[in-house]
Amino acid sequence: MEIKFIGTGSIGAKSFSASTLIDKEILVDMPNGFCKKAKQLKEDILKIKVILITHLHGDHFLDIPFFMLEKYFYKSSTETKIYCPKGTLKKLIELFEISFPSNYDKIKEIINTEFIEFEELKNEEISKNVFVDSVLVDHGKLEPAYGYIIRNNNKTIGFSGDSKMCNGIESIVKESDIAILDMSLTGSGNDSHMGLNDIENICIQNKNKKIIPTHMHEYTKEVALNKNIDNLYILEDGQIINI
C-alpha cells in the first residue's frame, strides 16, 4: 500500500491539516482546503473512491462539499463511498445551504457519491481486498469519534483520528504494522488529544511497530525530533511511504 501524507498538521499549524491518501483511492479525512492542497501535491482527487471520516470537526470533513462540486464540474463518473459518523449528511446539507444555496440536490443527482453513516464497521470491504474496522476513540466531548484499522494483503495501517490515550488507541496500535497517531501536544495529553509523552510510551512498549505522528503543531514536531525516538517517524506534508 502507498501511503501519502496530504497533511500532518493541527488547526493552527503551518502544515496542512491531518489527511492521508492510500493507493490514490482511499482517503482518511477531508479537511477544509483538501482539494486545493491535494492538487498542489499533484493528486487527481477525482480518482478517490473511498473517504473515511473520523469525526465531525471542521478540520476533518469540511471540504466534502467542494469535493462534490469538483465531481460535478468535471462530470466524474467515479463512484465515491463516504463512510462517516451518524449525522454527517445532515450537517453537510446544512453546509451546502450556507455555502451554495439550493445546489445540493442538483449536484447529488448527477454525481456518483454514496454516504454510509455507521455506528460500527467490522471487516468492511471498502475496495478490492481492502478491509476496514472502525474503532471508537475518546475525543473529549465530541461523540462518536473513530479510529480505523485498514488491512490489505496481510499489511495493516492504523489511524487514531483525534483522541486522547484510551483503550481504542491501544487496540489500533496492537493490530497495526504502522500506526498513524494524533500527537498534538509536546508533553502529556489532555481530554481530547495525545501528547508526545503518550506517543513515546507507545513507541517504547511497541518497539516492533512503526509509529507516525500526525495532527502536530510545529513546536511539537521540533521537540519530538530532538528526542530521536527509534521507531517514531516524523514526516512532512506530501511524503510517501510504502508498506
Side-chain angles (χ1 to χ4, degrees):
M1 286 186 281
E2 179 190 274
I3 308 169
K4 185 168 185 175
F5 293 83
I6 304 299
T8 58
S10 59
I11 292 176
K14 292 179 183 177
S15 50
F16 186 66
S17 295
S19 181
T20 310
L21 186 63
I22 301 169
D23 290 337
K24 300 188 179 297
E25 294 184 351
I26 299 168
L27 181 72
V28 180
D29 283 334
M30 185 170 268
N32 50 304
F34 167 82
C35 294
K36 289 184 180 294
K37 180 64 177 180
K39 288 179 182 180
Q40 290 168 9
L41 294 174
K42 303 187 185 310
E43 292 297 332
D44 183 355
I45 64 174
L46 297 179
K47 291 182 178 178
I48 295 173
K49 295 181 178 179
V50 176
I51 302 169
L52 299 168
I53 299 299
T54 59
H55 63 285
L56 297 180
H57 277 155
D59 58 324
H60 294 265
F61 85 106
L62 269 186
D63 230 39
I64 293 176
F66 295 90
F67 173 72
M68 293 173 68
L69 278 168
E70 188 90 1
K71 287 171 69 73
Y72 176 79
F73 290 149
Y74 286 94
K75 298 180 172 57
S76 171
S77 60
T78 301
E79 179 185 22
T80 304
K81 292 184 177 181
I82 302 174
Y83 293 86
C84 48
K86 296 277 189 181
T88 300
L89 185 55
K90 181 177 182 293
K91 287 182 179 291
L92 284 170
I93 292 173
E94 291 171 353
L95 278 172
F96 258 97
E97 283 308 304
I98 293 169
S99 305
F100 309 104
S102 304
N103 275 285
Y104 176 79
D105 289 337
K106 177 180 70 174
I107 291 167
K108 186 65 173 67
E109 186 177 340
I110 299 298
I111 65 174
N112 192 358
T113 301
E114 179 183 3
F115 287 88
I116 302 169
E117 296 190 347
F118 67 88
E119 292 182 354
E120 181 183 35
L121 296 175
K122 191 69 176 175
N123 209 34
E124 177 86 8
E125 189 169 18
I126 58 173
S127 186
K128 186 176 181 180
N129 297 322
V130 180
F131 300 86
V132 65
D133 295 339
S134 62
V135 180
L136 280 169
V137 295
D138 191 342
H139 189 33
K141 294 181 180 179
L142 182 69
E143 297 180 347
Y146 295 100
Y148 293 105
I149 299 170
I150 300 173
R151 299 183 304 280
N152 175 243
N153 294 328
N154 298 317
K155 298 296 184 180
T156 308
I157 311 168
F159 292 86
S160 70
D162 288 3
S163 177
K164 73 176 191 178
M165 191 65 209
C166 63
N167 290 338
I169 298 299
E170 292 178 357
S171 176
I172 289 166
V173 174
K174 179 182 177 182
E175 298 296 326
S176 303
D177 299 307
I178 293 175
I180 299 168
L181 305 178
D182 173 1
M183 192 177 75
S184 298
L185 307 169
T186 53
S188 300
N190 58 23
D191 65 349
S192 297
H193 296 280
M194 285 185 283
L196 177 54
N197 292 351
D198 297 311
I199 299 300
E200 185 171 14
N201 287 335
I202 289 172
C203 289
I204 291 169
Q205 294 165 16
N206 299 273
K207 291 182 182 280
N208 63 327
K209 307 280 187 178
K210 182 177 285 188
I211 307 299
I212 301 176
T214 189
H215 208 272
M216 295 177 285
H217 295 286
E218 273 74 27
Y219 51 81
T220 309
K221 185 183 298 184
E222 183 180 351
V223 173
L225 283 168
N226 288 333
K227 282 202 168 241
N228 292 314
I229 301 167
D230 285 343
N231 53 332
L232 183 66
Y233 297 82
I234 299 172
L235 305 182
E236 302 291 341
D237 294 0
Q239 279 194 255
I240 296 172
I241 62 170
N242 287 279
I243 177 173

